[in-house]
Amino acid sequence: MKRRLISAIGVAGMMISLAACGGDNGDGGGKAGADGYAGETLTVWVMDGSSPDQWQKDVAAAFEKKTKAKVKFQIQQWNGIQQKLTTALSEENPPDVFEIGNTQTPAYAKTGGLADLADLKNEIGAEWTASLNESSIFEGKQYAAPWYFANRVVLYNKKVWADAGIKDTPKTRDEFYADLKQIGEKTDAEPIYLPGQNWYHFVGLTIGEGVQLVKEQDGKYVSNLADPKVAAAMETYKKFQALSKAPKDKDEATPQQGEVFGKGNVGAFIGMGWEAGIAIKANPKIEKEIGYFTIPGATADKPEGVFLGGSNLAVAAGSKKQELAKEFLKIALSDQYEGQLAKLNGVIPNKESLQSNLKGNEVAEAAAPAAAGGGTTPLIPEWAAVENAPNPVKTYMTAVLNGKSPAAAAKQVEDEFNKRLAQQQ
C-alpha cells in the first residue's frame, strides 16, 4: 500500500463511503426498477495504493447485489493526475466516481466539476468526523464525501530513550520537550531531527492555536502570517528545532528524515508512519527499536494540532449515472467497508466510532487521537499557488529560525504570499 499522502494540492484523494445511521452494509434498496440498474457499469477512479484488491472485490460484489449493476475500478497514478482529471471532467463521459485529494476538492468544486452530495450527506453522513468532512464542503455545499486520512506522529528510537532513562512516552508538550532535553544531556544522540522547513508540522501547530495562514480582507484572501497566534505556533516550532542539528533551510525530504533517523543516533522525529520504512531500508536493524506516539499538545487531554492528509470521494457533475454513483457511495462508505479499508490500510476512517478497526496497528493508533482536532491548509482554491517553490511559508520559517522576529519574517514574505493568493484560478 502506498503510505505517502501527497501534500496540500496533491494529497491522496480516495473513495469514501459510510453506512446509513444504523451502520448497515448497504444491501437493501437503491433500485431504479424491477431489475435495478441491470446492464449498467459504473466507472470509478481510485489512486494507486488507495484501495486493496480485497476491498474492491467485496465492494463490487455488494454493489452488484444491491443494484444489479457492475463497477469498473480504474487505477490512476498520482503523477499528472490533476491535469488528467481536469481533462476528464470536461469531456462527455467522465469517470462517475473518483478519488480526490482533500485539499484539491475546493478547486474542483469552484470550477463546477463536482456534483452536489447534500442528499447523500443527509442520509449517511450524520456521524462523519467534522474535521475530516470539512474539506468536502465548499461555499456551504457538500461536494464530496470523506474517505480516509492520515497525520503525523512522533517516531522515536526506544533504545535512545531507554539509554536516557526515560521510561514512558510524554503526554504533554512540556513533557515531550523535557524528555528530548534529557536525551541531549544523558546520551550522545541528537534529541530530535527537526529541519527548519517541516512546514506541515508547522501548519499543525497553527491549527492547534486555532488560526489559519490566510484571512479574508476587503473581499480577497491575504496573508495572515502576522497574526500573534501564528507567531506563537512558530515560537513552539523554534523551541523544539533548537534541540536539532538539522538544517534550518531544508525540509523533511532534504535529506529524507527517515534516512537520518535510520542511522540510529536520533531520539525522535515528527513524520508520517510510512517514513519508518525509509529508516528500516537504510538500516534494517533499527526496525525493532522504532516506536510511535501521538504528538503531545499543551495539555494531556488534547493532542497537538496536526495537518490531515487524505482523500475524498466525489461524483462528476457531468456523469449520466449520478443516482447509481450515490448508491455506490452508500456501500463504499458504509461502516462495513469503511471499517474494512481502515483495517487493511491502517488509515483513519471518516467516523470516530470506526477507529476500533485500527487496533493492533501501532502507527494508526498513535495517529487517530489527533484526527478530531486536526485540519488542513486553507480550503480555498487560491491556496494552490502558495505551495509552489519557493514556498513563502518555508521562507518565513527559516527567517524566524535564523533570528528574525515572527513579525519581521511575516513582513518579508507578505508581498509574495499575497501575489500568489491573487492569481486567477
Side-chain angles (χ1 to χ4, degrees), residues 24-44:
D24 72 335
N25 63 9
D27 282 341
K31 296 186 178 182
D35 295 323
Y37 295 89
E40 295 195 34
T41 299
L42 194 76
T43 300
V44 177

Side-chain angles (χ1 to χ4, degrees), residues 244-264:
S244 177
K245 299 175 183 177
K248 294 179 174 61
D249 61 349
K250 303 294 181 184
D251 63 20
E252 68 279 6
T254 317
Q256 286 287 348
Q257 59 184 6
E259 292 180 355
V260 177
F261 181 78
K263 295 176 181 178

Side-chain angles (χ1 to χ4, degrees), residues 152-154 176-177 180 190-202 205 233-255 257 260-261 266-271 295 397 401:
R152 283 159 180 78
V153 299
V154 179
F176 186 24
Y177 183 76
L180 294 175
E190 181 178 1
I192 185 171
Y193 185 83
L194 183 60
Q197 297 182 348
N198 187 341
W199 77 288
Y200 289 109
H201 177 48
F202 171 59
L205 295 175
M234 191 60 219
E235 291 294 353
T236 297
Y237 192 101
K238 182 177 181 179
K239 179 179 178 179
F240 280 84
Q241 207 279 329
L243 299 175
S244 177
K245 299 175 183 177
K248 294 179 174 61
D249 61 349
K250 303 294 181 184
D251 63 20
E252 68 279 6
T254 317
Q257 59 184 6
V260 177
F261 181 78
V266 171
F269 74 99
I270 294 170
I295 304 173
M397 295 173 69
L401 296 175

Side-chain angles (χ1 to χ4, degrees), residues 16-236:
I16 315 178
S17 101
L18 194 57
C21 309
D24 72 335
N25 63 9
D27 282 341
K31 296 186 178 182
D35 295 323
Y37 295 89
E40 295 195 34
T41 299
L42 194 76
T43 300
V44 177
W45 281 15
V46 290
M47 303 309 298
D48 185 24
S50 295
S51 52
D53 291 344
Q54 188 63 50
W55 185 90
Q56 291 185 25
K57 179 180 178 181
D58 293 347
V59 168
F63 177 71
E64 185 169 359
K65 179 180 179 182
K66 179 181 180 181
T67 67
K68 304 295 193 295
K70 295 185 181 298
V71 58
K72 181 180 181 181
F73 289 102
Q74 294 184 344
I75 308 301
Q76 306 297 319
Q77 301 301 316
W78 283 111
N79 187 29
I81 186 57
Q82 290 186 78
Q83 183 58 48
K84 184 174 183 179
L85 182 56
T86 298
T87 300
L89 292 179
S90 69
E91 294 176 342
E92 187 176 349
N93 293 303
D96 301 296
V97 177
F98 53 91
E99 176 183 349
I100 184 173
N102 59 346
T103 57
Q104 294 175 343
T105 306
Y108 284 105
K110 181 180 180 180
T111 60
L114 312 183
D116 188 333
L117 298 182
D119 55 345
L120 184 76
K121 171 65 167 64
N122 291 336
E123 185 172 351
I124 68 170
E127 296 180 38
W128 288 345
T129 303
S131 61
L132 303 183
N133 186 49
E134 186 179 2
S135 67
S136 294
I137 300 170
F138 180 68
E139 295 184 342
K141 294 185 178 181
Q142 188 83 31
Y143 283 106
W147 194 17
Y148 79 90
F149 303 85
N151 53 260
R152 283 159 180 78
V153 299
V154 179
L155 295 87
Y156 74 106
N157 187 316
K158 296 176 183 178
K159 182 179 184 303
V160 170
W161 285 56
D163 289 347
I166 303 170
K167 302 185 184 300
D168 198 5
T169 55
K171 301 300 184 290
T172 68
R173 187 189 296 160
D174 287 345
E175 289 178 7
F176 186 24
Y177 183 76
D179 286 347
L180 294 175
K181 280 197 70 177
Q182 187 168 323
I183 289 172
E185 293 165 357
K186 295 192 174 183
T187 76
D188 293 329
E190 181 178 1
I192 185 171
Y193 185 83
L194 183 60
Q197 297 182 348
N198 187 341
W199 77 288
Y200 289 109
H201 177 48
F202 171 59
V203 168
L205 295 175
T206 66
I207 291 166
E209 293 287 346
V211 66
Q212 285 273 19
L213 297 183
V214 303
K215 62 183 178 181
E216 194 168 2
Q217 181 175 291
D218 298 327
K220 61 182 180 181
Y221 291 104
V222 297
S223 169
N224 196 35
L225 288 178
D227 191 293
K229 291 183 179 180
V230 175
M234 191 60 219
E235 291 294 353
T236 297

